[in-house]
Amino acid sequence: MKKIYAIGIAFLSLFSFSCSEWMDIRPSTEVEADLMFTNEDGFKSALTGVYARMIGENLYGNQLTFGLLEELAQRYDAGARYSTLTSNNRTLFYQYSSEVEIGNIGATKTRLSNIWNAMYTDIVNLNSLLEHLEENGREVIQTEGLFDIIKGEALGLRAFHYFDLLRMWGPADMANNGSQPTVPFRTRVGREQIAPMSADSLVIVIEADLLQADSLLRNDPCNWDIHANDIEFLNYRQFRMNRWAVRALMARFYLYANQPDLARQYAKDVIEHSGRNLVTNMSSDHAMFDESLFGLYYANMQDDYQSYFVTPIDNSSQTQRLITEGNLQFTYQTTSIGSNDIRGRSGQGFVRDNGVAMSRKYLCIENDSYDLRIPLIRLSEMYYIMAEVTTGSESASYYNAVRNARGISRTNNVSSFDDEATKIDALQDEYCKDFFGEGQYFFFLKRHQVASLDIWFNNIENTFPMLERYYEFEIPDAEREYGYVPDVN
């Protein structure tokens, strides 16, 4: 019998779960894979375990949302953790080969190694699930349509992980450096040596996963109603890699892969047919989750985020993610066109006190139905993609639509952009505003190879150089030394 272990997957009977219990699953056990996949519940449990792992600190519960990726975009400038950083020691975030500690923040090299291992641990679990689906899934999974849903989600999640690995460890200039080695691509569970795949080749295999996932999820009952489906496992689709999440991911992917026509096709389809609408009020929906196409539920967010997001704001905190009032005004233009922009307003996008501000996206509020949510793909990104890949008044209309929804007056609308550079600058400002604390801004900067940032710290506007090497992470030492991706952390 094979001794393959699915790390972090809880082998639990999902038929007995209520919806809230399903979302409260925490990965805690190791189970023998061959035993796990002998019944339908095991396949459900395996898939659920991957989502449960994704909220980990080294993944989308911190480093790949409000953590490292936001620090690489130089977001924070308040609190004891960030207020003392100068132009010089802010460059320490990009010391990818050094163990130099940045105050109490930790070495970026170590954090990247932890991210790498956590990403590949998820991929190991997904590959194990996909292997067993092929071996006996159609025999074991008896609920009509569920095989396609589980396999579609698993392939979509594998593509999601590999695409983020590519965006982190791949080249900044995809058009000219597509032959550059990136990361190993694994479709089977094992510890054999695998050479890093070129960026161009990785694009091809990610696309294959996405296309297959899209086909398998064509009958996904994704109507966004929490209790919409007769099969309990198919509720809460906004917390799963559902049909529209895959199509939105394809728009994001094709934009990165320099295929604007396909990016346009999928982004437009999501906008017109997903049933999601842009959020216009963040007072309750502080993470703008009502427009999310894919996100995670984090049952223990309130306890686990006490050191990161909690009121009252503590400007002496070593851990809180804070910005100064000057930074907020600078980013959201709150003294001019952004005076009513919900993304920067008190009680909407931020809580403000004594000259400092904290994003409300992960600030848990007692008895708030919008707590405990981590958005990973939102509808506004589809509008920005459409603005980027179209021209003239069509491009401007998508750009204006998000700004108007967020509270910027139509009197500030643009009719068109003078040139491509002007449009990209305008979109950079919007990515900076809309995706605060979500990690997506850094990827925008990398994709456009932005050479310098106008950022606010030390109470003034600064021009901060972004060198090309800042955008390209180094392979962890263990991968270089041993030639394989560890199966466990």
Side-chain angles (χ1 to χ4, degrees):
M1 180 178 291
K2 291 182 291 185
K3 300 295 184 182
I4 298 171
Y5 290 88
I7 305 301
I9 294 180
F11 184 34
L12 301 168
S13 174
L14 296 181
F15 278 141
S16 62
F17 287 178
S18 68
C19 290
S20 61
E21 287 172 328
W22 173 82
M23 291 191 296
D24 286 343
I25 290 175
R26 300 288 299 206
S28 60
T29 60
E30 295 183 1
V31 296
E32 194 167 311
D34 285 348
L35 175 62
M36 181 178 208
F37 296 111
T38 57
N39 57 61
E40 187 173 292
D41 286 0
F43 283 97
K44 293 177 181 178
S45 218
L47 181 60
T48 301
V50 175
Y51 291 107
R53 282 192 57 87
M54 288 175 70
I55 64 171
E57 181 177 354
N58 293 316
L59 294 179
Y60 302 96
N62 184 336
Q63 301 296 357
L64 300 186
T65 49
F66 63 83
L68 177 61
L69 291 184
E70 292 295 87
E71 291 167 341
L72 293 177
Q74 299 294 339
R75 289 290 211 176
Y76 308 117
D77 71 325
R81 185 184 182 97
Y82 303 105
S83 60
T84 60
L85 295 181
T86 64
S87 292
N88 183 54
N89 56 26
R90 282 177 178 272
T91 64
L92 294 176
F93 285 115
Y94 312 105
Q95 300 299 312
Y96 302 138
S97 61
S98 171
E99 298 287 357
V100 173
E101 296 279 335
I102 310 167
N104 72 327
I105 297 173
T108 302
K109 178 181 178 180
T110 301
R111 290 198 283 171
L112 287 175
S113 179
N114 292 337
I115 290 168
W116 175 284
N117 288 339
M119 292 286 277
Y120 274 103
T121 299
D122 277 1
I123 290 170
V124 166
N125 284 303
L126 289 165
N127 286 341
S128 178
L129 170 59
L130 288 163
E131 283 183 31
H132 285 86
L133 281 169
E134 291 306 305
E135 289 176 6
N136 67 333
R138 291 197 180 276
E139 299 173 10
V140 171
I141 299 172
Q142 297 298 310
T143 302
E144 184 178 358
L146 195 58
F147 176 90
D148 286 355
I149 293 288
I150 291 176
K151 185 174 181 180
E153 285 189 38
L155 287 167
L157 286 171
R158 187 168 72 179
F160 185 86
H161 281 71
Y162 272 121
F163 182 44
D164 272 359
L165 284 167
L166 173 61
R167 291 200 293 175
M168 286 185 280
W169 274 273
D173 185 359
M174 273 290 295
N176 295 309
N177 296 324
S179 61
Q180 178 177 313
T182 56
V183 302
F185 181 75
R186 292 175 175 270
T187 58
R188 310 290 295 179
V189 177
R191 298 180 66 85
E192 70 277 8
Q193 294 183 0
I194 294 181
M197 185 176 281
S198 72
D200 286 340
S201 297
L202 192 54
V203 163
I204 293 171
V205 293
I206 291 172
E207 180 185 35
D209 274 359
L210 287 170
L211 290 170
Q212 190 177 3
D214 185 41
S215 177
L216 288 164
L217 292 170
R218 62 188 178 276
N219 294 320
D220 180 5
C222 189
N223 56 11
W224 308 116
D225 189 327
I226 289 178
H227 299 287
N229 304 297
D230 294 334
I231 301 173
E232 186 82 356
F233 189 72
L234 297 182
N235 286 326
Y236 292 94
R237 296 304 291 160
Q238 66 270 53
F239 296 111
R240 308 297 288 255
M241 181 55 71
N242 59 75
R243 176 192 179 194
W244 294 110
V246 168
R247 306 213 109 202
L249 179 58
M250 293 173 85
R252 177 188 284 180
F253 165 79
Y254 282 123
L255 185 68
Y256 177 89
N258 298 313
Q259 299 185 58
D261 289 343
L262 286 170
R264 176 177 180 169
Q265 172 187 324
Y266 285 100
K268 187 174 183 180
D269 185 40
V270 172
I271 291 170
E272 294 181 351
H273 300 115
S274 68
R276 292 309 234 180
N277 297 299
L278 293 169
V279 165
T280 59
N281 190 319
M282 296 175 68
S283 59
S284 294
D285 186 7
H286 30 275
M288 294 190 279
F289 205 81
D290 276 348
E291 68 176 49
S292 286
L293 300 151
F294 174 46
L296 299 173
Y297 181 87
Y298 194 164
N300 287 346
M301 180 183 286
Q302 187 164 17
D303 292 334
D304 294 350
Y305 283 7
Q306 281 290 314
S307 62
Y308 305 127
F309 302 97
V310 66
T311 54
I313 299 174
D314 180 6
N315 198 22
S316 66
S317 171
Q318 291 283 346
T319 56
Q320 287 186 1
R321 301 307 200 265
L322 305 175
I323 64 174
T324 60
E325 180 69 23
N327 191 352
L328 184 116
Q329 292 181 4
F330 176 77
T331 300
Y332 292 96
Q333 300 170 282
T334 60
T335 59
S336 56
I337 66 169
S339 59
N340 290 315
D341 190 333
I342 59 173
R343 297 169 295 186
R345 289 182 60 188
S346 294
Q348 294 271 341
F350 280 82
V351 56
R352 298 152 78 174
D353 186 33
N354 292 324
V356 292
M358 174 189 291
S359 173
R360 296 178 71 243
K361 286 183 178 176
Y362 309 109
L363 181 64
C364 295
I365 301 171
E366 190 174 357
N367 299 321
D368 190 332
S369 61
Y370 283 98
D371 273 356
L372 317 179
R373 288 154 165 76
I374 300 175
L376 295 182
I377 307 178
R378 290 194 291 104
L379 185 65
S380 60
E381 184 179 353
M382 301 299 104
Y383 279 81
Y384 293 141
I385 289 173
M386 288 299 293
E388 187 166 341
V389 300
T390 57
T391 59
S393 60
E394 183 181 10
S395 174
S397 70
Y398 286 105
Y399 170 81
N400 292 330
V402 184
R403 282 160 51 101
N404 296 161
R406 304 307 193 225
I408 295 178
S409 171
R410 285 175 171 78
T411 60
N412 296 300
N413 282 1
V414 299
S415 57
S416 64
F417 296 101
D418 293 337
D419 50 48
E420 189 67 14
T422 301
K423 179 172 69 175
I424 297 305
D425 285 346
L427 285 171
Q428 180 180 336
D429 288 344
E430 290 305 303
Y431 269 80
C432 184
K433 296 173 185 176
D434 220 66
F435 299 109
F436 191 97
E438 297 181 39
Q440 296 305 315
Y441 182 47
F442 176 76
F443 290 132
F444 178 93
L445 299 175
K446 177 172 180 174
R447 184 163 54 83
H448 289 287
Q449 303 173 68
V450 174
S452 64
L453 290 177
D454 292 328
I455 60 174
W456 186 276
F457 63 90
N458 293 339
N459 295 315
I460 58 172
E461 180 182 351
N462 295 264
T463 299
F464 185 84
M466 290 291 289
L467 307 182
E468 184 176 352
R469 68 176 181 82
Y470 291 177
Y471 292 121
E472 298 182 1
F473 302 163
E474 295 194 12
I475 298 292
D477 289 344
E479 175 65 19
R480 287 198 302 267
E481 182 176 354
Y482 299 112
Y484 63 83
V485 179
D487 284 347
V488 298
N489 287 329

